Amino acid sequence: MNHKESLSQAIQPKANETRATPSPCISLCALNDEGFCIGCYRDGNEIRLWNTYSDNQKRQVLNSCQRRASLDQAFITL
């Protein structure tokens, strides 16, 4: 499973699910030149404040992470 797929799964709440929105952290922690984690695509503030966010705020961050991951993948050449 790639980063984008794991972010997609974290964003989609399952029916009748009451657990908290999980962190997208995959333990690949380092910030790139733009200030985003190369593992989860959150910025430093999003990482630091994660545990203070509501589930709705967390899903908004995960949506942003998914967009960042998509953009990052667009620059990879094979």
Side-chain angles (χ1 to χ4, degrees):
M1 176 181 313
N2 65 35
H3 296 327
K4 188 175 177 182
E5 290 170 343
S6 61
L7 289 170
S8 291
Q9 288 181 352
I11 292 169
Q12 302 299 323
K14 294 177 178 61
N16 300 322
E17 186 173 35
T18 59
R19 69 179 175 92
T21 303
S23 168
C25 180
I26 60 169
S27 298
L28 182 61
C29 306
L31 299 181
N32 64 17
D33 292 337
E34 290 80 31
F36 299 112
C37 177
I38 62 172
C40 67
Y41 295 96
R42 290 180 292 173
D43 67 28
N45 284 326
E46 292 166 342
I47 293 167
R48 183 174 57 83
L49 297 171
W50 182 261
N51 289 326
T52 68
Y53 290 156
S54 67
D55 281 338
N56 186 47
Q57 289 171 307
K58 289 177 180 180
R59 282 190 293 276
Q60 290 174 0
V61 170
L62 291 173
N63 283 324
S64 295
C65 293
Q66 191 172 35
R67 282 192 307 276
R68 294 171 192 149
S70 294
L71 289 171
D72 191 45
Q73 296 302 312
F75 292 104
I76 297 176
T77 58
L78 300 175

